[in-house]
């Protein structure tokens, strides 16, 4: 089951859960059992390594249901989750496919395509030089003014005459900040533009950011608490909207570095730049930022490249 403040009546008695989870790290479970009750099962989240349950025997294991034998009568159990800041990764790493003759990669074109090409190799090099490009295609049969298509999506290759194409080496892995059940994101300033009005004053809006969003995260995935810190802002207040867009119950303080070259593509952030992103002077000075519960945002950045990790191997001359 999912942890939440709740109560239920069953043929084996009543159960009540008091908690402000996922904005807190504890829950109180009270069971008033009747004849026939034998066990209570508590779900222990996979991220909660070191959960404790007072009033029960045994050691809960994360990612399992913790079995507690109970008898008729009233029993209370205090569950304390072990919530730690962690960094999760998503995305993919591709290798350079080289030049593939007789193969096309349709769709996924970057804006302004095609461009004039000279050779398939020149098209490949143009893709390598473009931070948003992950694949390319070249019109290999044109006698004059051949075309080159740069791709922003890693579309599947398909056999086609008069085409030469390939994928370039690309690391699109992104990194996100979590604590407990929550993902934490950078909220962005909002500008609403009315685009259409319908019957009964129903409206469509285009929402665009008014604050910078292209940042690299200064954190070490193997030890995120060294750079990231959890701050309680009073916790959840009963009766408030759980994911309000202001007055968040907590946040994570992070260090972010402005990142040049990470642009928008198809009205959204382009693929995450490769990590470490802050090489060759691409990043500005670090600045403190508050990452808030993802559900309490309208526009946000929840995936980042890492600023300095993984560490580049340094050549040692002796």
């Amino acid at each position: 089951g999912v942890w939440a403040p709740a109560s239920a009546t069953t043929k084996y008695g009543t159960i009540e859960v008091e908690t402000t989870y996922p904005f807190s790290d504890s829950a109180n479970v009270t069971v008033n059992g009747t004849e026939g009750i034998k066990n209570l099962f508590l779900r222990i989240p996979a991220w909660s390594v070191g959960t404790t349950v007072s009033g029960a025997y045994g050691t809960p294991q994360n990612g399992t249901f913790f079995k507690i034998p109970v008898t008729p009568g009233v029993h209370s159990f205090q569950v304390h989750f072990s919530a730690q800041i962690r960094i999760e990764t998503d995305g993919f790493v591709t290798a350079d496919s080289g030049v593939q003759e007789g193969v096309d990669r349709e769709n996924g074109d970057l804006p302004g395509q095609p461009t004039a090409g000279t050779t398939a190799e020149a098209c490949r090099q143009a893709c390598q030089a473009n931070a948003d490009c992950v694949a390319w295609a070249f019109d290999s049969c044109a006698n004059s003014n051949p075309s080159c298509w740069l791709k922003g999506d890693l579309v599947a290759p398909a056999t086609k005459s008069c085409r030469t194409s390939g994928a370039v080496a690309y690391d699109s892995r992104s990194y996100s900040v979590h604590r407990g059940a929550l993902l934490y994101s950078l909220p962005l300033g909002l500008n609403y533009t009315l685009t259409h009005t319908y019957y009964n004053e129903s409206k469509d809006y285009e929402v665009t950011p008014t604050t910078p969003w292209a940042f690299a995260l200064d954190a070490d995935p193997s030890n995120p608490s060294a750079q990231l810190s959890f701050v309680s802002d009073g916790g959840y207040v009963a009766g408030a909207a759980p994911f309000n867009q202001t007055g968040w119950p907590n946040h994570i303080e992070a260090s972010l570095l402005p990142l040049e070259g990470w642009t928008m593509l198809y009205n959204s952030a382009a693929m995450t730049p490769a990590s470490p992103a802050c090489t060759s002077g691409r990043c500005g000075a670090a600045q403190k930022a508050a990452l808030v519960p993802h559900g309490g945002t309208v526009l946000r950045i929840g995936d980042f490249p890492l600023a300095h990790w993984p560490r580049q191997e340094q050549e040692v001359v002796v």
Side-chain angles (χ1 to χ4, degrees), residues 38-50:
K38 293 183 179 181
N39 299 298
L40 171 68
F41 292 87
L42 301 179
R43 184 181 69 87
I44 310 301
W47 50 261
S48 185
V49 179

Side-chain angles (χ1 to χ4, degrees), residues 9-310:
T9 300
T10 75
K11 65 179 182 179
Y12 297 115
T14 62
I15 182 170
E16 182 175 4
V17 180
E18 298 175 278
T19 184
T20 55
Y21 178 95
F23 303 109
S24 67
D25 302 331
S26 62
N28 187 72
V29 181
T30 301
V31 176
N32 188 354
T34 60
E35 290 298 327
I37 190 170
K38 293 183 179 181
N39 299 298
L40 171 68
F41 292 87
L42 301 179
R43 184 181 69 87
I44 310 301
W47 50 261
S48 185
V49 179
T51 298
T52 61
V53 180
S54 60
Y57 295 101
T59 302
Q61 298 297 315
N62 63 306
T64 67
F65 280 91
F66 181 50
K67 179 181 177 180
I68 305 174
V70 292
T71 57
V74 179
H75 306 271
S76 291
F77 306 96
Q78 293 74 45
V79 183
H80 298 278
F81 303 109
S82 179
Q84 305 294 329
I85 296 175
R86 65 188 187 278
I87 294 177
E88 297 185 1
T89 184
D90 194 11
F92 57 86
V93 179
T94 63
D96 195 316
S97 68
V99 176
Q100 298 176 307
E101 297 183 0
V103 175
D104 192 18
R105 286 167 166 81
E106 295 185 356
N107 304 317
D109 295 347
L110 290 171
Q113 303 303 309
T115 59
T118 54
T119 64
E121 179 60 26
C123 187
R124 173 174 172 265
Q125 292 178 8
C127 183
Q128 291 176 324
N130 188 318
D132 295 329
C133 184
V134 297
W136 56 275
F138 180 74
D139 181 3
S140 52
C141 287
N143 295 322
S144 61
N145 300 321
S147 295
C148 168
W149 291 265
L150 303 185
K151 312 285 182 175
D153 290 332
L154 197 64
V155 291
T159 302
K160 188 175 182 178
S161 60
C162 294
R163 286 290 186 273
T164 301
S165 67
V168 299
Y170 198 91
D171 183 349
S172 76
R173 287 176 295 184
S174 60
Y175 299 82
S176 53
V177 178
H178 302 252
R179 184 183 184 275
L182 296 179
L183 162 67
Y184 287 79
S185 298
L186 177 69
L188 305 179
L190 307 173
N191 178 70
Y192 289 85
T193 302
L194 178 65
T195 60
H196 201 92
T197 300
Y198 300 94
Y199 173 75
N200 203 25
E201 291 302 306
S202 177
K203 295 178 172 65
D204 285 341
Y205 291 90
E206 179 184 11
V207 187
T208 54
T210 61
T211 53
W213 58 266
F215 292 97
L217 176 67
D218 186 14
D220 180 356
S222 65
N223 185 23
S225 294
Q227 292 89 18
L228 306 172
S229 58
F230 176 76
V231 179
S232 175
D233 297 308
Y236 175 72
V237 178
F243 290 99
N244 198 12
Q245 295 172 20
T246 58
W248 299 283
N250 53 51
H251 71 275
I252 290 178
E253 285 191 355
S255 177
L256 303 179
L257 285 72
L259 175 60
E260 293 183 2
W262 191 10
T263 59
M264 292 186 67
L265 181 65
Y266 310 129
N267 294 321
S268 185
M271 279 199 297
T272 309
S275 300
C278 294
T279 58
S280 304
R282 291 184 64 195
C283 292
Q287 52 190 260
K288 293 295 183 182
L291 307 183
V292 305
H294 185 85
T297 61
V298 177
L299 292 180
R300 83 293 289 174
I301 289 292
D303 287 331
F304 302 89
L306 296 178
H308 305 296
W309 283 269

